[in-house]
């Protein structure tokens, strides 16, 4: 939106092309296709990822986009998001202190879900 506003201010006309980026669903859909392709490249024909995690520091783009794409969003406190400003504008699946904690949370969540599936 900022780019489009600057373009219009400079040229007097609307930007004639469609832009993609966070939080548009198309961006997350494209990323998921790339992730699935990489998994196939590395591991062959294995079951595709059931859960995709987005770790980000911006509720407006990272969390909003991940939630809209059906991904699990993890908000970290090491960037744009400042807890002292109140709750995030979009609700993540988890809030972590930093990326390391976020990754550990996602792994633990997956291990726990896997153990539940295998115990049935």
């Amino acid at each position: 939106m900022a780019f489009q506003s600057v373009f219009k201010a400079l040229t007097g006309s609307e930007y004639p092309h469609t832009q993609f980026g966070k939080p548009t669903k198309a961006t997350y859909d494209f990323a998921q296709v790339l992730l699935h392709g990489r998994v196939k490249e590395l591991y062959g024909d294995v079951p595709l990822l059931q859960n995709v995690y987005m770790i980000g520091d911006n509720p407006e783009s990272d969390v909003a986009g991940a939630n809209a794409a059906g991904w699990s969003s993890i908000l970290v406190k090491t960037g744009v998001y400042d807890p002292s400003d109140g709750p995030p504008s979009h609700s993540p699946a988890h809030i972590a202190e930093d990326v390391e904690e976020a990754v550990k949370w996602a792994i633990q969540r997956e291990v726990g879900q896997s153990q539940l599936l295998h115990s049935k």
Side-chain angles (χ1 to χ4, degrees), residues 88-104:
S89 53
H90 296 273
S91 297
H94 183 69
I95 298 177
E97 290 298 320
D98 54 31
V99 173
E100 180 181 4
E101 181 185 312
V103 170
K104 287 178 179 178

Side-chain angles (χ1 to χ4, degrees), residues 56-95:
D57 68 346
N58 189 327
E60 293 295 325
S61 60
D62 302 327
V63 174
N67 291 350
W71 294 10
S72 295
S73 56
I74 306 173
L75 181 62
V76 293
K77 299 178 185 178
T78 54
V80 172
Y81 174 64
D82 182 354
S84 68
D85 292 336
S89 53
H90 296 273
S91 297
H94 183 69
I95 298 177

